[in-house]
Amino acid sequence: MTESEKLDQVGRWLMESGSTAVLTGAGMATESGIPDFRSREGFWSQMDPRSVATVDAMHHHYDTFHAFYAARIRALEKVRPHRGHEILASWEQRGRVRAVATQNVDGLHQEAGSREVYELHGSIRSVRCSRCKREADQEAFLNGQPCLFCGRALRPEIVLFGETLPEAAWEAAFQAMEGADLVVVIGTRLEVYPVNELPHLTSGKKVLINAEPTEADDRFDVVIRGKAGEVLQWLDQRMDA
Ligand code: NAD
């Protein structure tokens, strides 16, 4: 199939599907200016994730942990959703998409207007105490202040390596994927377990939109190589046609 035929095919599937579930990863946000993790310019090309995004780092190297996440939170202040996020939100409003499950912690799907969003790796926009789990102000975390109630260190509400996924988000994503006629995966290398198994719960069609080949390509009915925002715009035009 040519790239154009693939887009036509996926456009038709989107129109015909009674229930489409979307799964996004870091590649969904690079066009908004947030680096992904594993590409050449990604966060992890400059540092080892095990040195910062872990429970161990939070407990034993809090300064490094804090500096990394404070910088990521500050960087988000200037970031806005791109056209691709808006298109997914409009598809939900038009009944074309049932839900978006995301590995991203940036909150951009909600900012673009998506309502049914399952944040599988939490959200960097919320902060809580690392011990008593009470909510705290983002500003307090940025200033390096401890929890007001128990005095322990604050942390963003993200899932660190070594932690389990939020149960409600996982359950909702599981059901959306299992009940989907069509699953569209966007901007992820599908290397992080267990999220990488979610798309394969469907008995329907599976589409992967990613800028580079992944080890999971063979498990999809159609793989479209390209930028998330651009591919979603092409698909949106085909659905309007
Ligand atoms: P990853 O870095 O492993 O893979 C991202 C993939 O997206 C790569 O294959 C890359 O080629 C592709 N890509 C980059 N730009 C793209 C674009 N414009 N269009 C299409 N594809 C593009 O990321 P992942 O698989 O999502 O890894 C998961 C981990 O990364 C998660 O734990 C997640 O929490 C974290 N993460 C989140 C953010 C965010 O919230 N925006 C940013 C970085 C990392």
Side-chain angles (χ1 to χ4, degrees):
M1 254 197 273
T2 64
E3 288 306 298
S4 175
E5 285 166 347
K6 287 184 193 173
L7 290 166
D8 289 340
Q9 173 71 272
V10 176
R12 272 196 302 277
W13 285 344
L14 278 161
M15 298 287 281
E16 288 162 10
S17 166
S19 182
T20 297
V22 176
L23 173 66
T24 64
M28 182 73 213
T30 55
E31 286 158 274
S32 282
I34 305 177
D36 61 18
F37 272 1
R38 293 178 186 78
S39 298
R40 231 173 317 138
E41 302 87 33
F43 286 117
W44 300 144
S45 61
Q46 287 145 41
M47 68 176 83
D48 182 343
R50 280 160 299 191
S51 67
V52 270
T54 65
V55 178
D56 187 62
M58 181 174 67
H59 290 312
H60 301 294
H61 307 282
Y62 186 75
D63 287 352
T64 315
F65 173 87
H66 180 269
F68 177 72
Y69 283 105
R72 287 189 66 192
I73 290 170
R74 289 208 175 91
L76 265 185
E77 286 166 11
K78 297 174 221 114
V79 163
R80 294 285 166 271
H82 61 71
R83 188 75 194 108
H85 292 102
E86 289 166 5
I87 287 169
L88 289 179
S90 79
W91 288 355
E92 182 186 341
Q93 278 145 26
R94 286 149 57 194
R96 300 258 166 249
V97 159
R98 171 177 163 188
V100 176
T102 186
Q103 298 168 89
N104 295 347
V105 295
D106 53 39
L108 291 179
H109 286 298
Q110 295 94 321
E111 204 178 322
S114 286
R115 285 161 178 260
E116 211 54 29
V117 181
Y118 311 136
E119 293 180 307
L120 298 162
H121 291 163
S123 170
I124 201 169
R125 295 187 187 251
S126 314
V127 169
R128 66 174 164 90
C129 173
S130 59
R131 180 158 169 259
C132 74
K133 298 186 167 51
R134 283 192 179 89
E135 267 183 51
D137 283 346
Q138 194 178 69
E139 213 44 46
F141 173 74
L142 290 175
N143 294 334
Q145 290 161 5
C147 172
L148 279 177
F149 299 96
C150 74
R152 284 298 181 91
L154 298 178
R155 59 167 291 178
E157 190 117 33
I158 46 162
V159 177
L160 299 171
F161 287 99
E163 291 184 317
T164 51
L165 305 192
E167 210 174 312
W170 173 256
E171 268 302 311
F174 195 99
Q175 280 179 24
M177 299 287 159
E178 201 177 37
D181 303 328
L182 174 64
V183 170
V184 181
V185 177
I186 308 171
T188 168
R189 288 162 70 125
L190 291 168
E191 284 180 0
V192 179
Y193 179 85
V195 172
N196 57 359
E197 284 305 321
L198 278 175
H200 310 299
L201 292 170
T202 181
S203 48
K205 301 286 186 205
K206 293 180 282 185
V207 176
L208 174 61
I209 300 168
N210 204 56
E212 60 175 8
T214 75
E215 305 241 321
D217 284 5
D218 291 350
R219 298 179 75 184
F220 286 81
D221 298 291
V222 170
V223 177
I224 299 175
R225 193 82 57 235
K227 287 188 169 182
E230 287 174 11
V231 174
L232 287 168
Q233 286 181 68
W234 291 329
L235 289 172
D236 196 47
Q237 282 160 12
R238 276 167 167 79
M239 286 163 72
D240 279 343

